[in-house]
Amino acid sequence: SRIYKKLYGALEGKDIGKSINEMLHVLEEGLKGNYMSCVLDFTEESDISLVTKHAILRVHHKCMYLSYALECAYEKYKQKTAVSWKDCCRRAVNELEHLPMGLDPVKDPRTVERWFVDFRDSGCRLVIPALSMQKRKKKKCLRSLKFFQNLKRQ
């Protein structure tokens, strides 16, 4: 249906299953520690120095929950069984509740839903607010520096 295509980002003629698989691939890379492939604004290896260990742990945490929920959705899609995204998120929260991950477990499925919307809307990339802010500050400083260099030349 159109709702599922919109939810899983498959509006451009893509198959829903293919779209979910692509998202799962990005998240699996994050679980392997390849953060450049799954985090928005990670463009260089040195970017990892801009974030805390807690933020990296949070990325891993999000990858776990989102992967689990997407695997549930993909399984139901293949079985041609109707399931809501909320149910998939609830299942992820319940299944991962007792798994030690270094952070408190997520209690509310809406948290996973919100993470997914951010992930999907960011081009299948996770957002680390501190990294995005650092990158914006760096760009702003570079623009200011160029402005003053141009003034100096005049």
Side-chain angles (χ1 to χ4, degrees):
S1 79
R2 186 158 174 75
I3 293 170
Y4 283 109
K5 285 184 177 189
K6 183 178 179 190
L7 178 66
Y8 299 116
L11 285 177
E12 300 88 34
K14 273 194 219 171
D15 176 57
I16 293 173
K18 185 175 181 180
S19 185
I20 293 172
N21 269 328
E22 288 171 1
M23 289 184 227
L24 282 169
H25 177 71
V26 170
L27 294 168
E28 286 169 9
E29 288 298 311
L31 289 170
K32 292 177 188 174
N34 183 1
Y35 302 116
M36 283 183 63
S37 68
C38 74
V39 175
L40 187 68
D41 292 328
F42 254 42
T43 54
E44 304 166 10
E45 287 292 332
S46 61
D47 288 340
I48 201 160
S49 66
L50 298 174
V51 296
T52 64
K53 288 181 182 179
H54 183 269
I56 294 299
L57 195 55
R58 175 65 66 199
V59 167
H60 195 266
H61 204 223
K62 287 180 179 183
C63 286
M64 288 286 292
Y65 279 93
L66 290 173
S67 291
Y68 204 95
L70 281 168
E71 284 172 5
C72 169
Y74 185 69
E75 179 184 302
K76 297 297 182 183
Y77 171 76
K78 281 178 35 179
Q79 295 172 355
K80 299 195 185 306
T81 306
V83 64
S84 72
W85 178 241
K86 184 183 244 22
D87 289 339
C88 293
C89 294
R90 186 177 299 115
R91 184 172 167 190
V93 166
N94 291 338
E95 292 293 324
L96 297 174
E97 181 178 32
H98 301 293
L99 189 67
M101 288 190 270
L103 294 172
D104 290 336
V106 173
K107 303 276 187 216
D108 189 351
R110 288 180 295 180
T111 301
V112 181
E113 289 178 47
R114 191 173 57 250
W115 288 347
F116 178 73
V117 169
D118 290 343
F119 175 72
R120 182 197 63 208
D121 292 350
S122 299
C124 292
R125 297 291 182 263
L126 296 170
V127 177
I128 300 178
L131 178 65
S132 297
M133 286 177 17
Q134 287 281 356
K135 289 283 196 164
R136 273 191 244 122
K137 282 182 188 176
K138 191 175 177 181
K139 285 179 185 175
K140 193 174 185 180
C141 288
L142 287 174
R143 280 196 307 267
S144 297
L145 180 65
K146 285 179 184 178
F147 175 76
F148 286 114
Q149 285 174 339
N150 288 338
L151 282 178
K152 190 177 176 181
R153 287 183 195 141
Q154 293 177 353

